[in-house]
Amino acid sequence: MKANRMEAFSDGVLAIIITIMVLEFKVPEGHDWNSLVDLVPKFLSYAVSFVYVGIYWNNHHHLLHTVHSLNGKLMWLNLLLLFSLSLVPFSTAWIGESSFSSTPTALYGIVLLLAAFSYRLLQHEILKQHSSDSDFVVAMGRDFKGKISLLLYLIAIVVAYLNSWVSCFFYVLVAAIWFVPDQRIERVLRNRSS
């Protein structure tokens, strides 16, 4: 099986995840602008989660272009990533419904941590397909962004019980770090095509 089949399947799952998140929005009871105020926490959690799913979709796309051969382990690791991301709609809905209460905010971080860890496992398995001096392995380096993201998620999970808004700041910070697709992979792919 070629990696493009796994990519197409993953794209479909990510599209469904985004669709499920938007379906959580219910039409407000009232018919004026004030009626939308109650939706602000839900919209904020949706917007951050949408960005996260978009970040994973973008980086996953680039990562799969570095796969030499697809095997069962890669497919299962990809499914683990998709499973992790499939929990995003639930945690997004709960954090929005609760107006960012401590436990839902911590759970949101646990889901993001699980997704980040799953992505790192997938990335590590793909890296093993390349020689240690390949352009891709060299470009990935020590993966500072990946490591700092895991640490920030752990901090945010603990901080959620002290101040959920500070915890959310960490989630937004990690999203900001990853908002631009992984330039390391893009650089290698660009050099290969030229």
Side-chain angles (χ1 to χ4, degrees):
M1 184 189 324
K2 298 205 181 262
N4 62 349
R5 288 201 57 213
M6 187 167 77
E7 183 180 8
F9 174 76
S10 302
D11 287 350
V13 171
L14 294 174
I16 291 168
I17 289 170
I18 287 175
T19 302
I20 290 169
M21 286 190 314
V22 79
L23 291 175
E24 287 296 320
F25 282 111
K26 304 295 181 230
V27 176
E29 296 290 323
H31 298 95
D32 58 5
W33 291 108
N34 289 333
S35 304
L36 297 175
V37 171
D38 292 338
L39 293 179
V40 169
K42 292 178 187 178
F43 177 77
L44 290 174
S45 63
Y46 169 76
V48 171
S49 294
F50 185 93
V51 167
Y52 263 108
V53 173
I55 288 167
Y56 276 103
W57 173 74
N58 209 324
N59 285 298
H60 184 264
H61 169 76
H62 287 94
L63 184 64
L64 291 186
H65 282 276
T66 66
V67 172
H68 285 313
S69 63
L70 197 56
N71 58 41
K73 188 170 184 181
L74 272 180
M75 291 191 301
W76 278 110
L77 288 172
N78 191 64
L79 283 172
L80 177 62
L81 173 62
L82 295 176
F83 169 76
S84 306
L85 292 172
S86 74
L87 299 173
V88 169
F90 172 77
S91 59
T92 299
W94 198 23
I95 198 172
E97 285 286 329
S98 73
S99 295
F100 299 90
S101 295
S102 296
T103 300
T105 302
L107 177 68
Y108 188 76
I110 292 168
V111 169
L112 294 177
L113 178 65
L114 180 60
F117 184 70
S118 301
Y119 185 86
R120 283 186 56 81
L121 289 175
L122 179 64
Q123 179 180 295
H124 179 72
E125 189 63 27
I126 293 171
L127 280 170
K128 285 177 21 181
Q129 292 185 356
H130 298 265
S131 63
S132 60
D133 62 343
S134 77
D135 294 343
F136 178 56
V137 172
V138 171
M140 294 309 290
R142 291 197 167 101
D143 194 21
F144 176 76
K145 280 171 54 169
K147 290 174 184 170
I148 194 72
S149 298
L150 294 172
L151 177 63
L152 291 173
Y153 288 140
L154 287 171
I155 292 169
I157 292 165
V158 173
V159 169
Y161 289 100
L162 302 172
N163 186 322
S164 60
W165 290 107
V166 172
S167 180
C168 289
F169 167 78
F170 284 111
Y171 301 144
V172 171
L173 177 62
V174 174
I177 290 170
W178 286 98
F179 191 77
V180 173
D182 199 331
Q183 297 296 309
R184 298 169 298 179
I185 296 174
E186 278 192 354
R187 234 182 337 269
V188 170
L189 293 174
R190 202 171 28 251
N191 289 340
R192 283 185 185 169
S193 65
S194 56

